[in-house]
Amino acid sequence: MGHKDWTLILDFDSTIIKGESLDLLAETVFEDCSESNLKFQEIKKLTDDGMEGKISFQQSLYKRLRILELDQLHLNKSIKLVTKLISPSFKKNIDWLKRYRNNILIFSGGFKDMIKPVAITLGLKKENIYANELIFKNGKFNGVNKKNLLSSSGGKLNQVKQLGLNKNLIVVGDGITDWEIKKLGGQVTFFAYTENVSRKNVVDKADFEANNFDEVVKYIKGI
């Protein structure tokens, strides 16, 4: 296997971790709220609708953030919890992840602040994280960085184009936003990742289905 012959693009939510980082934020925000269950279910539905392509990623992200009354303390608390959610098969392959960290990128519609501690735990490079950036003013949520490509629909595909990645791309994720990178053509192999959640419309579009990260590692070893 040639060390420089491939680039692995990993989704974060429901792939590297077992759930959705925005859902974790919602649990933190709503833990003392009498309407917490209703609001949490509303956010979860918007997450699923975005991942399945029923609404655009941009609509899903902004609608979910409007429901949250997020502040810096909520984010800090969630950051401390997120490393407990790492998917078992990623933990199992931590040595492999460390060995090939230069070949591995994380593309996520989630939030860079929550991804960094997980990347560090798995031995991945912080500078290889491409994700949304939350903006706070006086400790209160004040939007996302709209200059960031990942804040808009089609962001993952556009990020690949901006980075000039054009050969032997292996994309691993559970959502339609991950599959969209396939629009680049035959140089992209897409794995629908189903260790944590399986979305039929995503699996149907995929080149392969991976029930765990072992299957991705096995494929790359065969390149």
Side-chain angles (χ1 to χ4, degrees), residues 204-220:
D204 288 347
K205 290 175 177 290
D207 297 301
F208 302 102
E209 179 182 356
N211 296 306
N212 54 63
F213 192 60
D214 296 352
E215 296 178 22
V216 178
V217 172
K218 182 179 178 181
Y219 173 82
I220 293 174

Side-chain angles (χ1 to χ4, degrees), residues 97-146:
L97 290 165
K98 288 178 179 177
R99 187 180 311 132
Y100 294 105
R101 64 201 301 261
N102 291 330
N103 295 63
I104 301 170
L105 310 177
I106 298 173
F107 280 17
S108 177
F111 309 112
K112 192 174 287 187
D113 288 331
M114 294 184 71
I115 296 171
K116 281 181 181 178
V118 173
I120 291 168
T121 299
L122 293 174
L124 299 176
K125 298 173 74 170
K126 291 185 292 183
E127 56 267 39
N128 284 356
I129 299 170
Y130 297 88
N132 274 302
E133 299 160 304
L134 294 167
I135 298 170
F136 291 89
K137 186 176 182 180
N138 299 322
K140 296 293 183 182
F141 174 67
N142 195 42
V144 297
N145 178 4
K146 292 185 178 180

Side-chain angles (χ1 to χ4, degrees), residues 7-8 48 55 67 101 121 127 129 181 194:
T7 299
L8 175 62
D48 289 339
I55 60 175
I67 296 169
R101 64 201 301 261
T121 299
E127 56 267 39
I129 299 170
I181 299 174
T194 57

Side-chain angles (χ1 to χ4, degrees), residues 48-56 176 201:
D48 289 339
D49 286 350
M51 290 297 98
E52 293 172 10
K54 293 178 181 176
I55 60 175
S56 72
I176 207 74
N201 67 323

Side-chain angles (χ1 to χ4, degrees), residues 171-175 178-179 182 188-192 202 205-208:
V171 179
V172 178
D174 66 293
D178 305 299
W179 167 81
K182 280 286 294 180
V188 181
T189 301
F190 173 59
F191 281 83
V202 178
K205 290 175 177 290
D207 297 301
F208 302 102

Side-chain angles (χ1 to χ4, degrees), residues 147-163:
K147 293 181 180 179
N148 188 316
L149 293 176
L150 276 301
S151 70
S152 299
S153 299
K156 293 187 178 185
L157 175 60
N158 290 329
Q159 188 68 71
V160 170
K161 290 177 179 177
Q162 187 189 71
L163 292 172

